[in-house]
Amino acid sequence: MEQEELNEALKKHRLWLQNKSGGERAELRGADLREADLRWANLNRADLRWADLRGVDLDFSCLPLWCGSLDAHFDDRQLYQIAYHLVRSGLYSKNTSEKTKDELSKLIGFANKFHRAGQCGEIKLEEMMEQ
């Protein structure tokens, strides 16, 4: 899928999310989106199943956390980013059980490979537990 075609699909998807005329749900299932620019894209309710997302910039995007993003083909960089957000949020949250925090702490090294860890702050278990 070319960037221009993707931009048009995302534009229509945005309209669809807002219940405006001319809008339609983005159907990106199985699309080859390698190296696509998805920064700032609201992918809420987009169907990304089996989409190839290798090299896609997901910074500032809204990645769907429903079945529509299951089975998408993420690369290591993206998985570090997703893990960083999960681990940091889970360890920081007052609502997370100690059992879950123990499991999340096992992923700190992996999560700290996130390309913005320096900017956002490296996850340090002792600091998170003090919050």
Side-chain angles (χ1 to χ4, degrees), residues 8-74:
E8 184 63 24
L10 293 174
K11 178 182 171 185
K12 288 180 179 180
H13 186 72
R14 193 174 310 112
L15 292 172
W16 178 76
L17 288 171
Q18 298 168 349
N19 293 319
K20 293 186 177 176
S21 73
E24 63 183 57
R25 181 179 178 180
E27 182 67 50
L28 304 173
R29 184 186 324 194
D32 183 347
L33 300 172
R34 286 179 286 179
E35 307 302 325
D37 184 354
L38 292 176
R39 287 175 294 168
W40 302 101
N42 182 347
L43 300 172
N44 187 20
R45 296 174 60 194
D47 194 339
L48 297 173
R49 286 177 282 192
W50 309 290
D52 189 340
L53 300 172
R54 218 172 335 159
V56 170
D57 189 341
L58 295 173
D59 288 356
F60 309 105
S61 66
C62 178
L63 188 66
L65 294 178
W66 68 287
C67 299
S69 65
L70 295 176
D71 301 322
H73 298 277
F74 294 102

